């Protein structure tokens, strides 16, 4: 499964589990407007670590993603 | 700058002057301190609350702020109801604090059993001239999470809460203060008191407002000093509105500030002084670190005299200061400090070179975005499931909220029942947790295991620190 598909899957699953309404997902979507709060995003990052074996946000020079596109790019870059 | 112990909050904030120019801005309404000279948020009914033990249970931070300003020195005791207090805990809080009056901003507040008086609190002030001079050394009661699941009620007075403000030097200059915290928690209350006692104004956050809207609003009011937990700041930096504010001073507290968040804040706000503070509801504010580095200088430890003394015993930081809370409210409560007056913060530190670094919490306490979770209270809920033999709740590091709650569960019979049934039991356990606990305490992952590590003492091994 591609990184992007896995990320989208986790956004959808966590939104469902946490009873949040997810905004339509696009690269331009601002994460804080996605319908997921910090706790939800934290769970997404933990689940992605379990699925993909990486947590790109723990690195000291990690950037803070603003949009979903930024978020996906951070994971894609970490995989390279 | 006036010393807080010279009088009640109203007297002290008035002494800082310029009342008409100073404001409290909420998300939906605002009030200038000048408005309070001849106006009352409590419908002018202050006299009815004189000498009482008052529960301040408002939906909004602005109304809570106004009630605090009016009631310090007037009420015998003020209990600050945090926004997420479970309704089921209210009777316990009412009984323990001997509440005999409720202040609420709900249109029709539900009567609390055993509480004879309810006074409405509104941001639209009623014309009234109130006598607010300090007669009572009012107790301020802050609620924190407790092991048993019941809140612990921590007793302060304005003088202990304001202890770190008097000597704050340049930080106490008038300015526009703000915080991501709710002011009914210790970290937020510190900023509220700094704004008021230092002659400044304040932008209050709101749970009903997005991070982006809050930052935009704070920026529009020209915020100069702003605080939050590292998790609050990580969220702010993920907002397109992060640069809507241009603060002179950025403060972090309530969680471990790692080098990454300090560096990111420095890059985003190059003109700001960036400080991380150590404080707890019980121990009060211990110190600020302003050198931009994680951890704190080892020279702060074992220093004699001064307002704050710190030592390290059994690996954890102990604090004795004039800012320490007086005690826990209620019968059969543990002592808040040891015989020498030191509070054990439970925060485990490790020395690296000439600095100490925080490495975690003793007793496995989990800090999710600045909110404490005692493993025992979550385990109690999980263990209530008929198929659970035992469980261990532990922390999992997370780059967004600092930590998440994870549970390891041993089912009856030791081994795993048939696969389908395990998934069903897991769902049932999580449903129970969601029903009984605030969101941040619900395990994000539940692992069914066959055995849990035990220490020789027979206690579960908690190895989070």
């Amino acid at each position: 499964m591609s990184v992007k598909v896995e990320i989208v899957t986790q956004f959808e699953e966590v939104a469902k589990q946490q009873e949040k309404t997810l905004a339509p997902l696009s690269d331009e979507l601002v994460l804080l407007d996605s319908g997921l709060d910090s706790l939800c995003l934290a769970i997404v990052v933990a689940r992605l670590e379990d699925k993909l074996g990486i947590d790109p946000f723990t690195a000291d020079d990690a950037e803070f993603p603003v949009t979903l596109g930024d978020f996906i790019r951070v994971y894609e870059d970490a995989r390279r | 700058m006036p010393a807080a112990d010279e009088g009640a909050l109203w007297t002290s904030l008035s002494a800082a002057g310029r009342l008409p120019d100073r404001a409290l801005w909420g998300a939906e309404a605002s009030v200038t301190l000048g408005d309070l000279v001849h106006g009352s948020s409590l419908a002018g009914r202050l006299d009815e609350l004189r000498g009482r033990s008052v529960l301040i249970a408002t939906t909004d931070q602005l109304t809570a702020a106004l009630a605090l300003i009016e009631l310090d020195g007037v009420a015998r005791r003020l209990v600050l109801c945090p926004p997420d207090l479970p309704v089921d805990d209210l009777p316990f809080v009412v009984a323990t604090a001997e509440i005999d009056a409720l202040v609420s901003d709900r249109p029709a507040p539900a009567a609390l059993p055993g509480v004879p008086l309810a006074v409405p609190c509104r941001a639209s002030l009623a014309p009234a001239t109130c006598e607010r001079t300090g007669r009572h050394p009012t107790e301020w009661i802050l609620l924190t999470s407790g092991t048993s699941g019941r809140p612990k009620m921590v007793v302060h007075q304005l003088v202990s809460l304001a202890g770190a403000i008097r000597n704050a030097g340049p930080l106490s200059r008038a300015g526009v203060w703000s915080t991501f915290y709710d002011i009914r928690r210790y970290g937020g209350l510190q900023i509220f008191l700094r704004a008021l006692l230092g002659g400044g104004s304040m932008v209050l956050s709101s749970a009903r407002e997005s991070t982006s809207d809050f930052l935009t609003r704070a920026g529009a009011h020209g915020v100069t000093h702003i605080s939050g937990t590292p998790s609050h700041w990580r969220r702010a930096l993920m907002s397109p509105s992060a640069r809507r504010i241009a603060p002179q001073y950025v403060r972090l507290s309530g969680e471990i500030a790692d080098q990454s968040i300090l560096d990111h804040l420095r890059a985003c706000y190059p003109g700001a002084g960036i400080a991380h503070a150590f404080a707890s509801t019980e121990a009060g504010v211990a110190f600020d670190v302003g050198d931009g580095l994680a951890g704190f200088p080892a020279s702060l430890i074992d220093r004699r005299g001064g307002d704050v003394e710190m030592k390290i015993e059994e690996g954890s930081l102990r604090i004795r200061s004039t800012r320490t809370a007086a005690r826990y409210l209620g019968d059969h409560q543990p002592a808040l400090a040891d015989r020498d007056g030191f509070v054990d913060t439970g925060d485990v530190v490790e020395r690296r070179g000439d600095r100490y670094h925080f490495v975690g919490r003793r007793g496995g306490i989990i800090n999710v975005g600045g909110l404490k979770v005692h493993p025992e209270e979550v385990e109690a809920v999980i263990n209530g499931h008929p198929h659970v033999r035992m469980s261990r709740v532990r922390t999992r590091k997370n780059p967004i909220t600092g930590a998440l709650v994870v549970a390891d569960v041993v089912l009856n019979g030791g081994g795993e029942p048939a696969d389908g049934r395990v998934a069903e039991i897991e769902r049932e356990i999580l449903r129970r947790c969601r029903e009984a606990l605030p969101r941040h305490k619900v395990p994000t992952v539940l692992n069914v295991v066959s055995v849990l590590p035990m220490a020789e003492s027979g206690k579960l091994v908690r190895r989070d620190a």
Side-chain angles (χ1 to χ4, degrees), chain B residues 196-392:
Chain B
L196 292 182
L197 299 174
S201 294
M202 179 156 184
V203 182
L204 296 159
S205 62
S206 165
R208 294 186 287 276
E209 185 176 46
S210 73
T211 299
S212 188
D213 288 349
F214 169 65
L215 287 165
T216 304
R217 191 163 58 85
H221 290 302
V223 66
T224 56
H225 297 63
I226 177 164
S227 89
T229 62
S231 292
H232 286 138
W233 281 113
R234 288 184 200 109
R235 193 174 62 193
L237 292 175
M238 288 168 72
S239 166
S241 304
R243 288 183 169 79
R244 292 290 182 92
I245 59 170
Q248 302 163 17
Y249 177 71
V250 167
R251 182 180 175 92
L252 304 95
S253 66
E255 287 176 281
I256 299 171
D258 56 32
Q259 196 59 48
S260 165
I261 187 66
L262 293 171
D263 291 347
H264 276 102
L265 287 169
R266 153 107 26 250
C268 189
Y269 305 114
I274 293 166
H276 55 103
F278 181 86
S280 78
T281 308
E282 284 93 339
V285 178
F287 59 85
D288 294 349
V289 180
D291 60 11
L293 298 173
F296 61 93
S299 57
L300 291 176
I301 297 294
D302 295 327
R303 219 185 248 176
R304 289 276 150 211
D307 277 0
V308 180
E309 291 172 274
M310 302 197 292
K311 64 177 180 182
I312 291 158
E313 235 173 67
E314 294 167 15
S316 75
L317 181 65
R318 321 275 169 128
I319 294 167
R320 174 167 73 185
S321 90
T322 53
R323 309 160 191 175
T324 298
R327 64 184 195 283
Y328 292 118
L329 210 57
D331 300 328
H332 315 297
Q333 291 297 319
L336 191 137
D338 70 14
R339 265 188 305 182
D340 300 325
F342 279 89
V343 176
D344 181 1
T345 64
D347 285 288
V348 178
V349 294
E350 188 179 276
R351 187 164 178 161
R352 295 174 208 151
D354 58 357
R355 287 179 93 80
Y356 279 102
H357 291 262
F358 291 101
V359 292
R361 302 264 325 179
R362 210 185 31 238
I365 295 171
I366 305 163
N367 189 339
V368 181
L371 300 172
K372 270 188 232 165
V373 183
H374 291 269
E376 294 88 345
E377 56 178 327
V378 184
E379 287 162 6
V381 173
I382 296 174
N383 296 348
H385 189 285
H387 285 287
V388 172
R389 170 178 290 173
M390 63 196 295
S391 60
R392 178 183 65 163

Side-chain angles (χ1 to χ4, degrees), chain A residues 17-18 20 30-32 37-43 45-46 49-50 55 57-58 60 62-66, chain B residues 211 231 234-235 237-240 259-261 264 368 396-401 404 430 434 439-440 444-445:
Chain A
Q17 184 205 37
Q18 296 289 319
K20 301 283 180 189
V30 170
L31 288 170
L32 297 187
D37 60 8
S38 288
L39 184 61
C40 292
L41 289 171
I43 297 170
V45 170
E49 187 184 5
D50 293 341
D55 171 8
F57 299 111
T58 297
D60 270 351
E63 62 174 300
F64 285 90
V66 174
Chain B
T211 299
S231 292
R234 288 184 200 109
R235 193 174 62 193
L237 292 175
M238 288 168 72
S239 166
Q259 196 59 48
S260 165
I261 187 66
H264 276 102
V368 181
R396 170 171 177 173
K397 267 189 140 180
N398 187 276
I400 311 277
T401 53
L404 287 174
L430 287 174
R434 284 194 199 101
R439 278 180 69 225
H440 66 279
T444 57
V445 177

